[in-house]
Amino acid sequence: MTWSYEVQDDGMTVEELLRKDWGLGKKVVHEMRMAKSVKNDKFQEIIWKEPLPKGTMLHFDLPPADSPYEPNHDIELPILFEDDHFIIARKPKGMATHPNEIGQTDTFINAILGHIIRGGGTYGEHVHRLDQGTSGLLMVAKHPVAKNVLDRMLEQKQLVRDYEAVVKGKVHNKSGTIDFPLGRDRHHPTRRRVSPTGQSAVTHYKLLKQMEGKSLLHLTLETGRTHQIRAHLSHIGHPIIGDELYEGPSTQDGSYHLHAFRMSFIHPFTNEKIVVEDTAR
């Protein structure tokens, strides 16, 4: 895996770029140093603690990495963005993000790994998850450095994820913020509930449309807790229609409408503003 990067700040060192700007862990940085993965613009080994002028081109050459998942070449998913570092693809509702048992190969990550291998790659790892009943955009890192960087960006709220949901009842406020900590429901093995001892969870919403007995909401995650949107909407009395786990009214096919339709962020390796939107929603 090879790519080039232009130093953005005068006096930046390779060490500072990897540890401070990209937030890479000690193990990954050590492996890159031992593999002599970073070269200067003449493709010569570089001194990691030497200050570099702004505009210096660095060249990265990573050894191949393997994925822990089995590729599935029989499932093709819509790819909405792809470069050397990551993929953003659409997960259909009803498909798991990753295997939950030994031998399972019909998940999103199995299908995307099949796509990566057909393109000559060897590694794929999901950066975040969507519930099995939720559809929409998921990001997959194509090498371990990208996975480390994107994990940090997710933790620091630099990956903005937008959703749409059809909920029970008429939501009267045009916009609002749901700020309640979430923890496990001790009465149910998978459900989450608002709990004063839970993890901080913040969901922003805007009312898009009111319909007969229901509302269409645009939701933006500030945090990414398990079942966050579903638990928050249920808590304020507007569960997603069809989401019976969270007391939503049943639907004929048993499905619910929660769709991750947009992702936006600054690309960590090109510094470009990236906005990917799923218009098929």
Side-chain angles (χ1 to χ4, degrees):
M1 176 67 219
T2 61
W3 81 92
S4 299
Y5 178 83
E6 183 176 342
V7 173
Q8 300 296 303
D9 299 311
D10 197 44
M12 174 73 71
T13 69
V14 172
E15 186 87 28
E16 289 171 338
L17 173 66
L18 300 185
R19 296 294 300 275
K20 182 180 177 182
D21 277 27
W22 291 357
L24 299 184
K26 291 183 179 179
K27 180 180 177 182
V28 174
V29 171
H30 176 73
E31 290 173 349
M32 292 177 70
R33 190 193 299 272
M34 292 299 98
K36 300 179 180 179
S37 297
V38 189
K39 303 289 195 301
N40 62 17
D41 54 4
K42 297 180 180 178
F43 292 91
Q44 299 169 332
E45 191 174 349
I46 199 165
I47 299 173
W48 281 39
K49 294 189 177 182
E50 178 180 290
L52 301 169
K54 180 180 179 180
T56 299
M57 293 302 298
L58 300 176
H59 301 281
F60 292 83
D61 187 3
L62 302 180
D66 294 324
S67 175
Y69 305 105
E70 291 292 327
N72 187 321
H73 297 287
D74 297 325
I75 303 174
E76 292 192 24
L77 298 175
I79 307 294
L80 283 81
F81 181 93
E82 181 174 10
D83 64 5
D84 291 337
H85 308 287
F86 58 85
I87 291 173
I88 298 175
R90 182 193 306 134
K91 183 191 84 67
K93 64 175 62 178
M95 174 181 279
T97 297
H98 56 80
N100 292 307
E101 55 188 43
I102 296 174
Q104 186 178 5
T105 61
D106 59 351
T107 75
F108 173 86
I109 192 62
N110 298 111
I112 293 299
L113 183 59
H115 169 84
I116 290 171
I117 289 175
R118 290 192 297 275
T122 60
Y123 177 93
E125 183 66 69
H126 54 88
V127 177
H128 56 111
R129 299 172 177 83
L130 291 178
D131 297 337
Q132 187 161 332
T134 302
S135 60
L137 302 180
L138 269 173
M139 177 183 283
V140 173
K142 295 175 68 174
H143 57 82
V145 171
K147 177 66 166 65
N148 265 246
V149 174
L150 293 166
D151 282 346
R152 177 191 59 80
M153 291 176 65
L154 187 66
E155 182 180 340
Q156 295 181 356
K157 305 172 185 177
Q158 295 173 355
L159 297 177
V160 179
R161 293 167 289 159
D162 296 283
Y163 295 73
E164 281 186 356
V166 178
V167 304
K168 176 185 176 182
K170 289 191 175 183
V171 177
H172 297 292
N173 294 331
K174 291 185 177 180
S175 63
T177 296
I178 309 169
D179 185 355
F180 296 108
L182 295 174
R184 292 183 179 274
D185 187 335
R186 65 179 184 220
H187 302 296
H188 196 282
T190 59
R191 192 166 52 201
R192 298 300 190 270
R193 60 184 293 272
V194 168
S195 168
T197 60
Q199 294 178 300
S200 171
V202 180
T203 305
H204 306 284
Y205 71 87
K206 292 180 181 178
L207 175 63
L208 297 179
K209 182 166 49 173
Q210 287 185 338
M211 299 160 280
E212 185 65 34
K214 55 188 178 182
S215 303
L216 176 64
L217 299 182
H218 171 183
L219 303 120
T220 303
L221 289 178
E222 186 171 314
T223 54
R225 307 305 179 196
T226 300
H227 295 188
Q228 178 175 317
I229 291 175
R230 299 165 65 189
H232 268 171
L233 291 174
S234 178
H235 182 75
I236 65 170
H238 295 287
I240 299 172
I241 292 176
D243 188 7
E244 296 184 57
L245 180 63
Y246 286 94
E247 301 177 347
S250 62
T251 55
Q252 189 170 4
D253 62 359
S255 67
Y256 57 85
H257 180 79
L258 177 58
H259 184 70
F261 73 92
R262 185 166 61 211
M263 293 185 66
S264 54
F265 54 96
I266 301 299
H267 195 299
F269 304 118
T270 68
N271 295 298
E272 298 174 281
K273 173 72 173 182
I274 304 293
V275 179
V276 179
E277 185 162 345
D278 184 2
T279 59
R281 67 184 187 278

PDB file of all heavy atoms in Angstrom, residues 139-166:
ATOM      1  N   MET A 139     -18.576   3.089   6.396  1.00  0.00           N
ATOM      2  CA  MET A 139     -17.200   3.321   5.956  1.00  0.00           C
ATOM      3  C   MET A 139     -16.310   2.144   6.328  1.00  0.00           C
ATOM      4  O   MET A 139     -16.416   1.595   7.434  1.00  0.00           O
ATOM      5  CB  MET A 139     -16.655   4.601   6.595  1.00  0.00           C
ATOM      6  CG  MET A 139     -15.203   4.900   6.256  1.00  0.00           C
ATOM      7  SD  MET A 139     -14.588   6.369   7.117  1.00  0.00           S
ATOM      8  CE  MET A 139     -15.327   7.664   6.137  1.00  0.00           C
ATOM      9  N   VAL A 140     -15.439   1.768   5.396  1.00  0.00           N
ATOM     10  CA  VAL A 140     -14.491   0.672   5.598  1.00  0.00           C
ATOM     11  C   VAL A 140     -13.087   1.175   5.294  1.00  0.00           C
ATOM     12  O   VAL A 140     -12.850   1.761   4.226  1.00  0.00           O
ATOM     13  CB  VAL A 140     -14.821  -0.528   4.685  1.00  0.00           C
ATOM     14  CG1 VAL A 140     -13.743  -1.604   4.776  1.00  0.00           C
ATOM     15  CG2 VAL A 140     -16.179  -1.111   5.051  1.00  0.00           C
ATOM     16  N   ALA A 141     -12.156   0.964   6.214  1.00  0.00           N
ATOM     17  CA  ALA A 141     -10.753   1.315   5.993  1.00  0.00           C
ATOM     18  C   ALA A 141     -10.076   0.231   5.167  1.00  0.00           C
ATOM     19  O   ALA A 141     -10.325  -0.961   5.362  1.00  0.00           O
ATOM     20  CB  ALA A 141     -10.039   1.478   7.326  1.00  0.00           C
ATOM     21  N   LYS A 142      -9.178   0.650   4.256  1.00  0.00           N
ATOM     22  CA  LYS A 142      -8.515  -0.295   3.366  1.00  0.00           C
ATOM     23  C   LYS A 142      -7.082  -0.608   3.786  1.00  0.00           C
ATOM     24  O   LYS A 142      -6.420  -1.414   3.133  1.00  0.00           O
ATOM     25  CB  LYS A 142      -8.539   0.246   1.928  1.00  0.00           C
ATOM     26  CG  LYS A 142      -9.951   0.339   1.351  1.00  0.00           C
ATOM     27  CD  LYS A 142      -9.986   0.978  -0.015  1.00  0.00           C
ATOM     28  CE  LYS A 142      -9.338   0.128  -1.081  1.00  0.00           C
ATOM     29  NZ  LYS A 142      -9.513   0.739  -2.437  1.00  0.00           N
ATOM     30  N   HIS A 143      -6.603   0.014   4.856  1.00  0.00           N
ATOM     31  CA  HIS A 143      -5.292  -0.347   5.423  1.00  0.00           C
ATOM     32  C   HIS A 143      -5.283   0.056   6.892  1.00  0.00           C
ATOM     33  O   HIS A 143      -6.086   0.911   7.319  1.00  0.00           O
ATOM     34  CB  HIS A 143      -4.131   0.276   4.644  1.00  0.00           C
ATOM     35  CG  HIS A 143      -4.169   1.771   4.522  1.00  0.00           C
ATOM     36  ND1 HIS A 143      -3.734   2.612   5.516  1.00  0.00           N
ATOM     37  CD2 HIS A 143      -4.596   2.579   3.515  1.00  0.00           C
ATOM     38  CE1 HIS A 143      -3.865   3.873   5.134  1.00  0.00           C
ATOM     39  NE2 HIS A 143      -4.396   3.873   3.921  1.00  0.00           N
ATOM     40  N   PRO A 144      -4.410  -0.545   7.727  1.00  0.00           N
ATOM     41  CA  PRO A 144      -4.453  -0.306   9.170  1.00  0.00           C
ATOM     42  C   PRO A 144      -4.216   1.134   9.582  1.00  0.00           C
ATOM     43  O   PRO A 144      -4.768   1.588  10.589  1.00  0.00           O
ATOM     44  CB  PRO A 144      -3.342  -1.226   9.704  1.00  0.00           C
ATOM     45  CG  PRO A 144      -3.231  -2.317   8.693  1.00  0.00           C
ATOM     46  CD  PRO A 144      -3.481  -1.654   7.373  1.00  0.00           C
ATOM     47  N   VAL A 145      -3.382   1.888   8.861  1.00  0.00           N
ATOM     48  CA  VAL A 145      -3.169   3.292   9.218  1.00  0.00           C
ATOM     49  C   VAL A 145      -4.465   4.071   9.043  1.00  0.00           C
ATOM     50  O   VAL A 145      -4.854   4.871   9.906  1.00  0.00           O
ATOM     51  CB  VAL A 145      -2.031   3.902   8.379  1.00  0.00           C
ATOM     52  CG1 VAL A 145      -1.966   5.417   8.594  1.00  0.00           C
ATOM     53  CG2 VAL A 145      -0.692   3.268   8.759  1.00  0.00           C
ATOM     54  N   ALA A 146      -5.167   3.846   7.938  1.00  0.00           N
ATOM     55  CA  ALA A 146      -6.461   4.503   7.734  1.00  0.00           C
ATOM     56  C   ALA A 146      -7.434   4.132   8.844  1.00  0.00           C
ATOM     57  O   ALA A 146      -8.184   4.986   9.340  1.00  0.00           O
ATOM     58  CB  ALA A 146      -7.037   4.127   6.374  1.00  0.00           C
ATOM     59  N   LYS A 147      -7.445   2.883   9.261  1.00  0.00           N
ATOM     60  CA  LYS A 147      -8.337   2.443  10.345  1.00  0.00           C
ATOM     61  C   LYS A 147      -8.017   3.202  11.634  1.00  0.00           C
ATOM     62  O   LYS A 147      -8.930   3.698  12.317  1.00  0.00           O
ATOM     63  CB  LYS A 147      -8.176   0.943  10.575  1.00  0.00           C
ATOM     64  CG  LYS A 147      -9.020   0.374  11.736  1.00  0.00           C
ATOM     65  CD  LYS A 147     -10.507   0.470  11.446  1.00  0.00           C
ATOM     66  CE  LYS A 147     -11.346  -0.370  12.394  1.00  0.00           C
ATOM     67  NZ  LYS A 147     -11.301   0.067  13.797  1.00  0.00           N
ATOM     68  N   ASN A 148      -6.741   3.330  11.965  1.00  0.00           N
ATOM     69  CA  ASN A 148      -6.352   4.069  13.167  1.00  0.00           C
ATOM     70  C   ASN A 148      -6.787   5.528  13.093  1.00  0.00           C
ATOM     71  O   ASN A 148      -7.339   6.076  14.049  1.00  0.00           O
ATOM     72  CB  ASN A 148      -4.830   3.996  13.346  1.00  0.00           C
ATOM     73  CG  ASN A 148      -4.385   2.874  14.264  1.00  0.00           C
ATOM     74  OD1 ASN A 148      -3.858   3.126  15.342  1.00  0.00           O
ATOM     75  ND2 ASN A 148      -4.596   1.646  13.855  1.00  0.00           N
ATOM     76  N   VAL A 149      -6.522   6.166  11.957  1.00  0.00           N
ATOM     77  CA  VAL A 149      -6.857   7.579  11.799  1.00  0.00           C
ATOM     78  C   VAL A 149      -8.363   7.797  11.863  1.00  0.00           C
ATOM     79  O   VAL A 149      -8.858   8.706  12.538  1.00  0.00           O
ATOM     80  CB  VAL A 149      -6.288   8.122  10.476  1.00  0.00           C
ATOM     81  CG1 VAL A 149      -6.764   9.555  10.237  1.00  0.00           C
ATOM     82  CG2 VAL A 149      -4.759   8.084  10.490  1.00  0.00           C
ATOM     83  N   LEU A 150      -9.131   6.950  11.176  1.00  0.00           N
ATOM     84  CA  LEU A 150     -10.579   7.111  11.142  1.00  0.00           C
ATOM     85  C   LEU A 150     -11.214   6.805  12.495  1.00  0.00           C
ATOM     86  O   LEU A 150     -12.214   7.422  12.872  1.00  0.00           O
ATOM     87  CB  LEU A 150     -11.170   6.236  10.044  1.00  0.00           C
ATOM     88  CG  LEU A 150     -10.776   6.663   8.618  1.00  0.00           C
ATOM     89  CD1 LEU A 150     -11.116   5.560   7.616  1.00  0.00           C
ATOM     90  CD2 LEU A 150     -11.452   7.967   8.230  1.00  0.00           C
ATOM     91  N   ASP A 151     -10.645   5.853  13.246  1.00  0.00           N
ATOM     92  CA  ASP A 151     -11.122   5.598  14.611  1.00  0.00           C
ATOM     93  C   ASP A 151     -10.995   6.856  15.463  1.00  0.00           C
ATOM     94  O   ASP A 151     -11.900   7.211  16.228  1.00  0.00           O
ATOM     95  CB  ASP A 151     -10.330   4.465  15.255  1.00  0.00           C
ATOM     96  CG  ASP A 151     -10.768   3.093  14.786  1.00  0.00           C
ATOM     97  OD1 ASP A 151     -11.852   2.983  14.163  1.00  0.00           O
ATOM     98  OD2 ASP A 151     -10.028   2.115  15.026  1.00  0.00           O
ATOM     99  N   ARG A 152      -9.848   7.537  15.348  1.00  0.00           N
ATOM    100  CA  ARG A 152      -9.641   8.768  16.119  1.00  0.00           C
ATOM    101  C   ARG A 152     -10.614   9.852  15.675  1.00  0.00           C
ATOM    102  O   ARG A 152     -11.203  10.563  16.515  1.00  0.00           O
ATOM    103  CB  ARG A 152      -8.202   9.257  15.940  1.00  0.00           C
ATOM    104  CG  ARG A 152      -7.922  10.580  16.665  1.00  0.00           C
ATOM    105  CD  ARG A 152      -6.587  11.171  16.251  1.00  0.00           C
ATOM    106  NE  ARG A 152      -6.507  11.421  14.827  1.00  0.00           N
ATOM    107  CZ  ARG A 152      -7.035  12.480  14.224  1.00  0.00           C
ATOM    108  NH1 ARG A 152      -7.702  13.389  14.916  1.00  0.00           N
ATOM    109  NH2 ARG A 152      -6.903  12.646  12.918  1.00  0.00           N
ATOM    110  N   MET A 153     -10.813   9.983  14.365  1.00  0.00           N
ATOM    111  CA  MET A 153     -11.737  11.000  13.855  1.00  0.00           C
ATOM    112  C   MET A 153     -13.160  10.747  14.349  1.00  0.00           C
ATOM    113  O   MET A 153     -13.890  11.685  14.703  1.00  0.00           O
ATOM    114  CB  MET A 153     -11.700  11.016  12.331  1.00  0.00           C
ATOM    115  CG  MET A 153     -10.396  11.545  11.753  1.00  0.00           C
ATOM    116  SD  MET A 153     -10.335  11.446   9.945  1.00  0.00           S
ATOM    117  CE  MET A 153     -11.658  12.590   9.498  1.00  0.00           C
ATOM    118  N   LEU A 154     -13.549   9.483  14.396  1.00  0.00           N
ATOM    119  CA  LEU A 154     -14.876   9.135  14.900  1.00  0.00           C
ATOM    120  C   LEU A 154     -15.001   9.498  16.374  1.00  0.00           C
ATOM    121  O   LEU A 154     -15.994  10.083  16.814  1.00  0.00           O
ATOM    122  CB  LEU A 154     -15.120   7.643  14.692  1.00  0.00           C
ATOM    123  CG  LEU A 154     -16.519   7.117  15.006  1.00  0.00           C
ATOM    124  CD1 LEU A 154     -17.545   7.688  14.041  1.00  0.00           C
ATOM    125  CD2 LEU A 154     -16.530   5.585  14.933  1.00  0.00           C
ATOM    126  N   GLU A 155     -13.968   9.181  17.145  1.00  0.00           N
ATOM    127  CA  GLU A 155     -13.969   9.477  18.581  1.00  0.00           C
ATOM    128  C   GLU A 155     -14.022  10.976  18.836  1.00  0.00           C
ATOM    129  O   GLU A 155     -14.677  11.432  19.788  1.00  0.00           O
ATOM    130  CB  GLU A 155     -12.716   8.873  19.221  1.00  0.00           C
ATOM    131  CG  GLU A 155     -12.615   9.065  20.710  1.00  0.00           C
ATOM    132  CD  GLU A 155     -11.364   8.443  21.294  1.00  0.00           C
ATOM    133  OE1 GLU A 155     -10.774   7.558  20.652  1.00  0.00           O
ATOM    134  OE2 GLU A 155     -10.970   8.852  22.399  1.00  0.00           O
ATOM    135  N   GLN A 156     -13.360  11.754  17.985  1.00  0.00           N
ATOM    136  CA  GLN A 156     -13.302  13.204  18.167  1.00  0.00           C
ATOM    137  C   GLN A 156     -14.420  13.940  17.410  1.00  0.00           C
ATOM    138  O   GLN A 156     -14.362  15.157  17.243  1.00  0.00           O
ATOM    139  CB  GLN A 156     -11.927  13.720  17.736  1.00  0.00           C
ATOM    140  CG  GLN A 156     -10.795  13.202  18.601  1.00  0.00           C
ATOM    141  CD  GLN A 156      -9.427  13.739  18.201  1.00  0.00           C
ATOM    142  OE1 GLN A 156      -9.289  14.466  17.214  1.00  0.00           O
ATOM    143  NE2 GLN A 156      -8.409  13.398  18.970  1.00  0.00           N
ATOM    144  N   LYS A 157     -15.406  13.187  16.936  1.00  0.00           N
ATOM    145  CA  LYS A 157     -16.609  13.750  16.304  1.00  0.00           C
ATOM    146  C   LYS A 157     -16.282  14.508  15.016  1.00  0.00           C
ATOM    147  O   LYS A 157     -16.921  15.517  14.688  1.00  0.00           O
ATOM    148  CB  LYS A 157     -17.353  14.655  17.292  1.00  0.00           C
ATOM    149  CG  LYS A 157     -17.701  13.961  18.609  1.00  0.00           C
ATOM    150  CD  LYS A 157     -18.261  14.914  19.628  1.00  0.00           C
ATOM    151  CE  LYS A 157     -18.474  14.228  20.971  1.00  0.00           C
ATOM    152  NZ  LYS A 157     -18.953  15.145  22.013  1.00  0.00           N
ATOM    153  N   GLN A 158     -15.295  14.017  14.275  1.00  0.00           N
ATOM    154  CA  GLN A 158     -14.914  14.641  13.015  1.00  0.00           C
ATOM    155  C   GLN A 158     -15.546  13.948  11.812  1.00  0.00           C
ATOM    156  O   GLN A 158     -15.348  14.388  10.682  1.00  0.00           O
ATOM    157  CB  GLN A 158     -13.387  14.656  12.878  1.00  0.00           C
ATOM    158  CG  GLN A 158     -12.705  15.519  13.929  1.00  0.00           C
ATOM    159  CD  GLN A 158     -11.200  15.416  13.900  1.00  0.00           C
ATOM    160  OE1 GLN A 158     -10.631  14.634  13.147  1.00  0.00           O
ATOM    161  NE2 GLN A 158     -10.534  16.205  14.719  1.00  0.00           N
ATOM    162  N   LEU A 159     -16.268  12.864  12.052  1.00  0.00           N
ATOM    163  CA  LEU A 159     -17.061  12.212  11.012  1.00  0.00           C
ATOM    164  C   LEU A 159     -18.529  12.527  11.301  1.00  0.00           C
ATOM    165  O   LEU A 159     -19.087  12.042  12.285  1.00  0.00           O
ATOM    166  CB  LEU A 159     -16.843  10.697  11.001  1.00  0.00           C
ATOM    167  CG  LEU A 159     -15.445  10.171  10.681  1.00  0.00           C
ATOM    168  CD1 LEU A 159     -15.411   8.647  10.793  1.00  0.00           C
ATOM    169  CD2 LEU A 159     -15.018  10.600   9.288  1.00  0.00           C
ATOM    170  N   VAL A 160     -19.145  13.338  10.467  1.00  0.00           N
ATOM    171  CA  VAL A 160     -20.542  13.735  10.685  1.00  0.00           C
ATOM    172  C   VAL A 160     -21.442  12.763   9.933  1.00  0.00           C
ATOM    173  O   VAL A 160     -21.293  12.566   8.725  1.00  0.00           O
ATOM    174  CB  VAL A 160     -20.792  15.172  10.201  1.00  0.00           C
ATOM    175  CG1 VAL A 160     -22.261  15.559  10.422  1.00  0.00           C
ATOM    176  CG2 VAL A 160     -19.866  16.138  10.932  1.00  0.00           C
ATOM    177  N   ARG A 161     -22.390  12.145  10.658  1.00  0.00           N
ATOM    178  CA  ARG A 161     -23.288  11.152  10.071  1.00  0.00           C
ATOM    179  C   ARG A 161     -24.740  11.596  10.236  1.00  0.00           C
ATOM    180  O   ARG A 161     -25.170  11.924  11.336  1.00  0.00           O
ATOM    181  CB  ARG A 161     -23.069   9.797  10.756  1.00  0.00           C
ATOM    182  CG  ARG A 161     -21.694   9.193  10.482  1.00  0.00           C
ATOM    183  CD  ARG A 161     -21.391   8.036  11.411  1.00  0.00           C
ATOM    184  NE  ARG A 161     -21.164   8.506  12.773  1.00  0.00           N
ATOM    185  CZ  ARG A 161     -21.280   7.723  13.845  1.00  0.00           C
ATOM    186  NH1 ARG A 161     -21.664   6.462  13.702  1.00  0.00           N
ATOM    187  NH2 ARG A 161     -21.043   8.203  15.045  1.00  0.00           N
ATOM    188  N   ASP A 162     -25.443  11.642   9.106  1.00  0.00           N
ATOM    189  CA  ASP A 162     -26.826  12.098   9.095  1.00  0.00           C
ATOM    190  C   ASP A 162     -27.767  10.958   8.730  1.00  0.00           C
ATOM    191  O   ASP A 162     -27.466  10.146   7.842  1.00  0.00           O
ATOM    192  CB  ASP A 162     -26.992  13.241   8.084  1.00  0.00           C
ATOM    193  CG  ASP A 162     -26.179  14.460   8.465  1.00  0.00           C
ATOM    194  OD1 ASP A 162     -26.613  15.181   9.377  1.00  0.00           O
ATOM    195  OD2 ASP A 162     -25.115  14.685   7.861  1.00  0.00           O
ATOM    196  N   TYR A 163     -28.926  10.930   9.395  1.00  0.00           N
ATOM    197  CA  TYR A 163     -29.909   9.861   9.231  1.00  0.00           C
ATOM    198  C   TYR A 163     -31.286  10.454   8.958  1.00  0.00           C
ATOM    199  O   TYR A 163     -31.554  11.611   9.273  1.00  0.00           O
ATOM    200  CB  TYR A 163     -30.008   9.022  10.510  1.00  0.00           C
ATOM    201  CG  TYR A 163     -28.775   8.242  10.884  1.00  0.00           C
ATOM    202  CD1 TYR A 163     -27.647   8.883  11.383  1.00  0.00           C
ATOM    203  CD2 TYR A 163     -28.745   6.850  10.764  1.00  0.00           C
ATOM    204  CE1 TYR A 163     -26.511   8.157  11.747  1.00  0.00           C
ATOM    205  CE2 TYR A 163     -27.624   6.122  11.125  1.00  0.00           C
ATOM    206  CZ  TYR A 163     -26.523   6.786  11.612  1.00  0.00           C
ATOM    207  OH  TYR A 163     -25.404   6.068  11.961  1.00  0.00           O
ATOM    208  N   GLU A 164     -32.173   9.620   8.415  1.00  0.00           N
ATOM    209  CA  GLU A 164     -33.593   9.917   8.335  1.00  0.00           C
ATOM    210  C   GLU A 164     -34.358   8.814   9.046  1.00  0.00           C
ATOM    211  O   GLU A 164     -33.967   7.647   8.973  1.00  0.00           O
ATOM    212  CB  GLU A 164     -34.065  10.005   6.887  1.00  0.00           C
ATOM    213  CG  GLU A 164     -33.738  11.316   6.204  1.00  0.00           C
ATOM    214  CD  GLU A 164     -34.339  11.406   4.826  1.00  0.00           C
ATOM    215  OE1 GLU A 164     -34.956  10.423   4.367  1.00  0.00           O
ATOM    216  OE2 GLU A 164     -34.189  12.457   4.199  1.00  0.00           O
ATOM    217  N   ALA A 165     -35.439   9.191   9.715  1.00  0.00           N
ATOM    218  CA  ALA A 165     -36.268   8.208  10.403  1.00  0.00           C
ATOM    219  C   ALA A 165     -37.733   8.627  10.321  1.00  0.00           C
ATOM    220  O   ALA A 165     -38.049   9.825  10.388  1.00  0.00           O
ATOM    221  CB  ALA A 165     -35.855   8.057  11.866  1.00  0.00           C
ATOM    222  N   VAL A 166     -38.603   7.646  10.168  1.00  0.00           N
ATOM    223  CA  VAL A 166     -40.048   7.873  10.244  1.00  0.00           C
ATOM    224  C   VAL A 166     -40.500   7.430  11.624  1.00  0.00           C
ATOM    225  O   VAL A 166     -40.336   6.257  11.993  1.00  0.00           O
ATOM    226  CB  VAL A 166     -40.807   7.101   9.150  1.00  0.00           C
ATOM    227  CG1 VAL A 166     -42.310   7.330   9.291  1.00  0.00           C
ATOM    228  CG2 VAL A 166     -40.335   7.537   7.764  1.00  0.00           C
TER     229      VAL A 166
END
